[in-house]
Amino acid sequence: MGKERITAFEDAILAIIMTILVLELNKPDQVTWHGLWLLHDSFFAYAISFFWIGLMWVSHHNNWHYVKVINMQTVYLTIVLLFFASLFPYTTSLVSDNFDNATAQVLYGLIVIIISLLNVALFFNLGKINPEATFKLLYTASNRVVLIDLGIKVIGLILALTIFPPAMLYSIFIASLTIGIGFA
């Protein structure tokens, strides 16, 4: 299989996931500014999910041109990554409807952390079979930025489990800014 097929498949799946996210947004009981404001947690969860997936797509899109060869491990890692990514509409909906619920936030956070670790595994795989690409932990982002990103998410998970459930979503927002700046 050539890299074009796997990138086209990934593009299609991520586009579908991002589209489903908006379909999961709740509608206000009354279409007023106040009614919309009452849904601010839902809009925040949607925005974090949309831009997090978008950031992942941008990083893949901007760096796959360095990839010359893929193998079956690349294919399987990508499929597993997309499986967990496909849970985003579901977990985003749970968080939207239960913003202060630790279980909803932790489940959402675990999906994000699993996808982050799968991205790292994918990049190790691609770096091993494409040594001329000189990938770091996450394509061309510095290893330090990737470790900070993962650390922020783990701290958010611990805080969500123990004292402040929304810490998970806020930590993903902060971590996304960190990784976005790292790519820039």
Side-chain angles (χ1 to χ4, degrees):
M1 178 186 308
K3 76 174 187 175
E4 293 78 19
R5 296 222 12 139
I6 195 84
T7 56
F9 179 67
E10 182 179 57
D11 286 351
I13 297 298
L14 292 179
I16 291 167
I17 291 167
M18 293 171 85
T19 302
I20 292 171
L21 280 172
V22 75
L23 298 175
E24 293 291 321
L25 277 175
N26 296 323
K27 292 173 183 62
D29 293 330
Q30 292 185 4
V31 183
T32 63
W33 292 116
H34 178 71
L36 289 169
W37 174 252
L38 292 176
L39 298 173
H40 68 279
D41 290 342
S42 293
F43 288 115
F44 182 63
Y46 163 74
I48 295 299
S49 295
F50 185 91
F51 287 111
W52 194 84
I53 292 172
L55 183 62
M56 181 174 70
W57 178 81
V58 168
S59 73
H60 287 219
H61 176 73
N62 286 342
N63 292 288
W64 269 74
H65 65 280
Y66 296 117
V67 174
K68 303 296 181 222
V69 179
I70 65 169
N71 60 17
M72 284 310 292
Q73 186 178 4
T74 308
V75 174
Y76 291 133
L77 284 168
T78 301
I79 289 171
V80 173
L81 183 143
L82 292 173
F83 167 79
F84 283 101
S86 74
L87 293 170
F88 258 102
Y90 177 73
T91 57
T92 301
S93 179
L94 281 178
V95 167
S96 294
D97 295 340
N98 306 282
F99 199 77
D100 292 315
N101 181 289
T103 303
Q105 290 279 353
V106 168
L107 179 61
Y108 181 88
L110 286 172
I111 296 301
V112 169
I113 290 169
I114 289 168
I115 292 169
S116 297
L117 293 173
L118 283 165
N119 269 314
V120 169
L122 182 61
F123 307 135
F124 273 127
N125 166 257
L126 290 171
K128 187 168 72 173
I129 60 177
N130 295 276
E132 69 284 352
T134 62
F135 289 140
K136 297 178 180 127
L137 283 177
L138 190 59
Y139 288 127
T140 55
S142 80
N143 289 348
R144 181 174 175 220
V145 169
V146 175
L147 293 174
I148 290 170
D149 170 77
L150 289 169
I152 291 169
K153 291 172 187 168
V154 169
I155 290 169
L157 185 71
I158 292 167
L159 291 173
L161 270 170
T162 57
I163 59 172
F164 184 61
M168 191 69 246
L169 209 56
Y170 294 129
S171 71
I172 293 166
F173 174 70
I174 293 166
S176 296
L177 290 176
T178 302
I179 208 85
I181 291 167
F183 282 132

